[in-house]
């Protein structure tokens, strides 16, 4: 038993110790980049991604029916997908993009006006936000029937809807619904909510999780009404600088192949004008590259949060594939339509250099890998990666993203000079008599040496600001 525990401890530290001392080339994961191609106007790339996503949505439209579940395991996911489909149609309509087929519109309007759907709304006023987008779309398109409108009015008049304590981006969600739906008595003040949320307190891309970044994108979406012109919404960008979070998030998740959050961050960054146009062009080329072989935008490997553990395995193969990919294709279809409509951002459409997988671009992707290593707390590996990035010629915003990662690495140093806080790893390694001194010597010391060397090299390079990143 003791030997097995020690083995587990060593597995946890493999990337931090052994790889921290390996050759520089081995610390980088292979980067799958699209081939060189002209990207003088990203609209062609946007149109290709849009077509891929739109066709996949149409081909799988029956899966979005909120009433097409036969087991409880599928109920929440179907309803979530349905309301997100309705949101996509609202945005598409708002930026002047419509499907050649009326089937998506017909499905959303029919189900939004279905007695069963309005009964769900009236039964669950605390969960109103699960149902709002189909109601909004039906009203905006002029297809909300009287019985459904009466049900919505009844729920909005109930104390229950407003008594639920919501995190800031969910308050913004409800505020957004009220404005678009036309509910005049909304008690939510966006100017009071936004200072409490992630726009005013951006996540640190070195250790943020996906929920932190999705909160940023959603806050920006609601603020900007997803890019749809509307007199009730602000004309200017949100008064916050999210550049480091947006750019760092895009790089970090390109590095691990998560198309879903990259597309969300891209759309948010374009709405907020805080992502460099050259990064937008590259990220779009990367998304198209990922979609070329399967013929759809691949979703992340993680199981959808709406399915309890093990439930997805009980679904058929087609259902499982839909559950994994539906959100990414909706995001892709929405993001491309909105970004195409951003004709008032001329820098995005200006002619520029052809896209090529240059050394500069490789350095940026490796910056994303460095952030990912920090987020996984593989500090030794991150330190070795940092040493390989010190000589890269980063200008802002990339230099600031790098500095953010270095700042986080510095914060992992304890008062005795050790790097890393290893309570659980030490417990696993030393269970049943394993030696604590050996743990520190074999596991902690190599990490500390690697981090100290990397920080020193960074400090000596002149890359940090006058006050330092600490």
């Amino acid at each position: 038993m003791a030997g097995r525990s020690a083995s587990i401890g060593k597995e946890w530290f493999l990337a931090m110790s052994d790889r921290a001392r390996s050759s520089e080339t081995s610390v980088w994961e292979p980067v799958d980049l699209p081939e060189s191609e002209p990207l003088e106007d990203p609209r062609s790339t946007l149109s290709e991604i849009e077509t891929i996503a739109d066709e996949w949505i149409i081909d799988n439209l029956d899966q979005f029916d909120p009433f097409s579940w036969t087991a409880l395991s599928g109920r929440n996911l179907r309803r979530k997908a349905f309301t997100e489909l309705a949101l996509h149609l609202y945005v598409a309509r708002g930026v002047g993009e419509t499907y050649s087929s009326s089937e998506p519109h017909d499905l959303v309007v029919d189900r939004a006006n279905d007695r069963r759907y309005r009964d769900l709304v009236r039964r669950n006023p605390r969960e109103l936000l699960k149902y709002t987008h189909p109601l909004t779309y039906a009203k905006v398109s002029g297809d909300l029937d009287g019985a459904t409108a009466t049900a919505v009015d009844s729920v909005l008049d109930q104390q229950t809807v407003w008594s639920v304590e919501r995190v800031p981006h969910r308050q913004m969600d409800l505020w957004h619904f009220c404005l678009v739906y036309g509910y005049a008595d909304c008690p939510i003040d966006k100017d009071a909510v936004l200072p409490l949320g992630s726009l005013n307190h951006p996540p640190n891309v070195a250790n943020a999780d996906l929920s932190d970044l999705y909160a940023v994108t959603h806050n920006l979406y609601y603020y900007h009404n997803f890019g749809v012109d509307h007199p009730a919404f602000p004309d200017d960008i949100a008064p916050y600088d999210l550049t480091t979070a947006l750019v760092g998030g895009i790089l970090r998740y390109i590095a691990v192949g998560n198309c879903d959050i990259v597309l969300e961050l891209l759309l948010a960054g374009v709405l907020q004008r805080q992502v460099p146009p050259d990064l937008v062009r590259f990220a779009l080329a990367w998304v198209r590259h990922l979609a070329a072989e399967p013929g759809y935008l691949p979703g992340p490997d993680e199981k959808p949060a709406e399915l309890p553990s093990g439930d997805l395995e009980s679904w058929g193969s087609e259902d499982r594939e839909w559950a994994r990919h539906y959100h990414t294709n909706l995001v892709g279809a929405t993001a491309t339509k909105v970004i195409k409509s951003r004709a008032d951002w001329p820098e995005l459409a200006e002619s520029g250099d052809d896209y090529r997988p240059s050394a500069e671009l490789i350095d940026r992707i490796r910056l994303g890998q460095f952030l990912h290593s920090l987020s996984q707390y593989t500090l030794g590996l991150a330190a070795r990666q940092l040493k390989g990035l010190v000589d890269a010629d980063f200008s802002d915003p990339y230099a600031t993203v790098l500095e953010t990662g270095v700042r986080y690495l510095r914060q992992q140093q304890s008062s005795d000079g050790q790097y890393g806080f290893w309570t659980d790893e030490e417990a696993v390694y030393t269970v049943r008599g394993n030696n604590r001194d050996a743990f520190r010597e074999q596991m902690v010391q190599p990490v500390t040496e690697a981090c100290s060397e990397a920080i020193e090299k960074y400090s000596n390079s002149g890359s940090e600001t006058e006050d330092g990143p600490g």
Side-chain angles (χ1 to χ4, degrees):
M1 182 68 177
R4 173 57 180 161
S5 299
S7 174
I8 293 174
K10 290 178 181 178
E11 288 171 5
W12 284 10
F13 275 83
L14 181 61
M16 306 176 210
S17 55
D18 294 340
R19 290 187 68 183
R21 294 175 290 187
S22 64
S23 65
E24 183 172 320
T25 55
S26 69
V27 303
W28 303 114
E29 295 295 331
V31 180
D32 182 18
L33 297 176
E35 296 178 358
S36 300
E37 56 183 305
L39 282 180
E40 294 182 353
D41 187 342
R43 286 181 176 83
S44 61
T45 310
L46 287 162
S47 294
E48 289 183 39
I49 298 170
E50 179 187 18
T51 298
I52 290 170
D54 283 351
E55 290 179 352
W56 189 90
I57 292 168
I58 293 294
D59 289 345
N60 292 273
L61 191 61
D62 61 319
Q63 297 271 18
F64 291 89
D65 190 330
F67 302 126
S68 69
W69 53 274
T70 56
L72 288 177
S73 62
R75 178 184 61 183
N76 290 339
L77 187 63
R78 301 284 185 197
R79 290 176 183 171
K80 178 176 182 290
F82 173 67
T83 197
E84 289 168 342
L85 172 65
L87 172 61
H88 166 62
L89 295 182
Y90 166 77
V91 176
R93 185 181 188 276
V95 298
E97 298 271 355
T98 57
Y99 282 88
S100 57
S101 168
S102 66
E103 292 180 65
H105 168 88
D106 294 343
L107 173 64
V108 170
V109 169
D110 180 77
R111 296 299 184 266
N113 288 317
D114 191 298
R115 173 195 55 79
R116 295 171 293 175
Y117 200 77
R118 59 177 172 265
D119 283 354
L120 284 173
V121 175
R122 300 196 71 164
R123 170 73 179 267
N124 302 295
R126 297 187 77 260
E127 300 180 347
L128 176 64
L129 290 176
K130 291 184 177 182
Y131 309 105
T132 50
H133 296 309
L135 304 170
T136 297
Y137 177 72
K139 184 169 185 179
V140 169
S141 66
D143 295 301
L144 190 71
D145 71 18
T148 303
T150 298
V152 175
D153 292 343
S154 172
V155 170
L156 289 173
D157 284 342
Q158 295 182 32
Q159 178 182 351
T160 303
V161 170
W162 312 106
S163 66
V164 176
E165 189 162 327
R166 298 178 174 91
V167 295
H169 76 274
R170 286 302 171 206
Q171 293 190 56
M172 289 296 293
D173 189 354
L174 186 53
W175 170 81
H176 174 264
F177 165 71
C178 290
L179 265 61
V180 176
Y181 190 81
Y183 181 70
D185 296 326
C186 178
I188 298 172
D189 178 0
K190 73 167 175 50
D191 293 327
V193 172
L194 288 176
L196 304 176
S198 59
L199 299 193
N200 194 34
H201 306 281
N204 184 331
V205 290
N207 71 333
D209 64 19
L210 281 170
S211 65
D212 299 324
L213 293 173
Y214 281 122
V216 171
T217 62
H218 289 193
N219 273 318
L220 289 173
Y221 294 164
Y222 302 134
Y223 181 93
H224 291 285
N225 191 29
F226 295 83
V228 175
D229 290 335
H230 192 294
F233 289 86
D235 293 327
D236 54 352
I237 66 172
Y240 304 97
D241 185 359
L242 286 307
T243 305
T244 300
L246 294 168
V247 172
I250 290 170
L251 294 177
R252 175 177 154 187
Y253 283 99
I254 285 179
V256 297
N258 188 325
C259 187
D260 192 278
I261 186 61
V262 168
L263 283 163
E264 286 229 4
L265 290 165
L266 266 183
L267 175 54
V270 169
L271 292 173
Q272 187 68 2
R273 307 291 182 86
Q274 290 177 350
V275 174
D278 63 335
L279 181 57
V280 176
R281 292 190 189 97
F282 164 67
L284 290 172
W286 175 78
V287 169
R288 181 176 60 181
H289 177 65
L290 288 188
E293 183 176 340
Y296 52 80
L297 306 184
D301 293 332
E302 293 85 359
K303 173 184 67 66
E306 291 72 27
L307 288 177
S309 178
D311 278 358
L312 195 58
E313 286 71 22
S314 67
W315 288 29
S317 59
E318 289 186 8
D319 292 339
R320 288 198 301 271
E321 285 298 294
W322 171 82
R324 176 185 169 192
H325 304 302
Y326 90 84
H327 186 266
T328 305
N329 284 272
L330 284 176
V331 172
T334 303
T336 50
K337 290 175 175 63
V338 174
I339 296 174
K340 280 170 60 180
S341 73
R342 298 288 93 180
D344 57 343
W345 189 16
E347 295 87 351
L348 186 61
E350 281 179 354
S351 297
D353 295 336
D354 291 353
Y355 156 71
R356 293 185 180 86
S358 62
E360 180 182 38
L361 179 59
I362 295 295
D363 284 338
R364 292 176 186 175
I365 301 305
R366 288 178 170 177
L367 173 55
Q369 292 185 10
F370 168 61
L371 295 173
H372 176 67
S373 296
L374 290 173
S375 75
Q376 300 302 299
Y377 218 71
T378 52
L379 300 186
L381 175 58
R384 189 64 183 177
Q385 290 171 333
L386 174 59
K387 291 176 71 174
L389 290 170
V390 166
D391 296 328
D393 185 18
F394 289 125
S395 58
D396 273 334
Y398 306 103
T400 302
V401 172
L402 175 62
E403 187 173 321
T404 298
V406 174
R407 180 185 299 113
Y408 175 73
L409 185 58
R410 285 180 185 273
Q411 292 166 346
Q412 306 319 303
Q413 186 176 28
S414 61
S415 58
D416 63 1
Q418 169 188 304
Y419 275 86
F421 305 104
W422 310 113
T423 300
D424 291 342
E425 291 85 350
E426 183 177 0
V428 170
Y429 190 83
T430 59
V431 70
R432 293 187 179 237
N434 289 292
N435 191 292
R436 278 192 172 82
D437 291 337
F439 168 79
R440 293 182 177 275
E441 179 181 346
Q442 297 175 21
M443 298 299 173
V444 178
Q445 190 58 34
V447 175
T448 296
E449 291 174 359
C451 291
S452 298
E453 291 173 5
I455 293 293
E456 182 179 7
K457 184 175 181 180
Y458 178 80
S459 298
N460 293 339
S461 71
S463 299
E464 58 187 332
T465 60
E466 182 177 343
D467 296 329

